[in-house]
């Protein structure tokens, strides 16, 4: 039974990462204002200055779109390449976030569009978990054996749901934060 379960990891992880990178890339280029906000966020994150911000932003969006395409195409070489590219990009994001936190850069996470949530340790943890999923996906990509239709549907749905939850993580976390209490004004 445990051996058979490995068959379902790869499609679940493909869907999870596919949703994450699809939402990420589309949210950055859905209109000019979104892309310019992403470029501005990239400019604040870069320790080497603003000169390369637009090029880095274009490269990030292109890599995210390539990951989506590779994971959607199927076939072991494309899926493996997509998962490896995803892991590499996630590690680069993690390093960038860690460096920004170390430098005390105050900017929001523009990972999935218009979030105003400041970058924080939760973004590093999220990216490391997604990197681990990509690594497991690479290991599971070569699994062979029978796949039941019901199991495949559950795996795909689970991947889609978890991927969707990842994209709204900042909003979910915000729901559980205490509401700041404003200090009462004293009459003068």
């Amino acid at each position: 039974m445990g051996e058979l379960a490995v068959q379902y990891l790869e499609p679940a992880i493909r869907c999870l990462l596919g949703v994450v990178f699809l939402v990420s890339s589309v949210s950055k280029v859905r209109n000019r204002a979104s892309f310019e906000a992403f470029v501005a966020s990239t400019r604040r994150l870069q320790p080497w200055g603003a000169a390369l911000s637009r090029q880095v932003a274009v490269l990030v969006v292109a890599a995210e779109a390539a990951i989506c395409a590779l994971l959607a195409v199927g076939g072991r070489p494309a899926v493996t390449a997509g998962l490896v590219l995803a892991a590499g990009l996630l590690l680069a994001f993690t390093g960038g976030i860690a460096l920004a936190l170390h430098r005390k850069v105050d900017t929001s996470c523009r990972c999935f569009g218009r979030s105003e949530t400041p970058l924080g340790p939760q973004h590093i943890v999220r990216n490391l978990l997604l990197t681990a999923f990509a690594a497991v996906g690479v290991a599971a990509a070569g699994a062979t054996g029978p796949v039941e239709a019901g199991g495949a549907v559950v795996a795909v749905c689970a991947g889609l749901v978890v991927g969707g939850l990842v994209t709204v993580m900042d909003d979910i976390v915000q729901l559980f934060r205490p509401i700041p209490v404003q200090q009462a004004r004293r009459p003068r």
Side-chain angles (χ1 to χ4, degrees):
M1 182 72 174
E3 218 175 297
L4 185 61
V6 175
Q7 308 299 90
Y8 302 107
L9 281 175
E10 185 257 337
I13 291 169
R14 281 174 61 191
C15 290
L16 184 163
L17 293 174
V19 165
V20 166
F21 284 105
L22 178 66
V23 171
S24 182
S25 61
V26 169
S27 70
K28 291 176 178 106
V29 296
R30 72 174 182 260
N31 57 42
R32 185 170 182 85
S34 296
F35 184 71
E36 292 304 324
F38 177 58
V39 171
S41 176
T42 303
R43 185 177 305 120
R44 286 187 297 276
L45 287 173
Q46 291 182 13
W48 53 84
L52 298 175
S53 298
R54 185 165 301 279
Q55 292 85 354
V56 169
V58 168
L59 184 62
V60 166
V61 172
E64 290 175 338
I67 290 166
C68 294
L70 289 166
L71 295 177
V73 166
R76 190 168 182 192
V79 170
T80 300
L83 292 169
V84 169
L85 181 57
L89 191 58
L90 286 161
L91 287 174
F93 291 162
T94 302
I97 293 169
L99 184 60
L101 292 176
H102 176 73
R103 292 175 37 236
K104 298 183 181 359
V105 173
D106 184 28
T107 190
S108 63
C109 173
R110 303 296 296 188
C111 308
F112 303 108
R114 62 182 190 258
S115 174
E116 295 302 319
T117 302
L119 285 175
Q122 72 273 20
H123 297 104
I124 291 174
V125 171
R126 176 200 61 206
N127 287 350
L128 290 175
L129 287 172
L130 290 173
T131 302
F133 276 119
V136 169
V138 169
T144 58
V147 175
E148 296 178 20
V153 168
V154 169
V156 166
C157 289
L160 294 173
V161 168
V162 173
L165 289 172
V166 168
T167 66
V168 294
M169 178 192 84
D170 286 341
D171 296 327
I172 293 170
V173 168
Q174 191 66 30
L175 287 174
F176 295 99
R177 288 203 172 134
I179 297 173
V181 179
Q182 294 181 351
Q183 293 181 352
R185 288 188 167 183
R186 292 181 169 176
R188 293 185 185 199

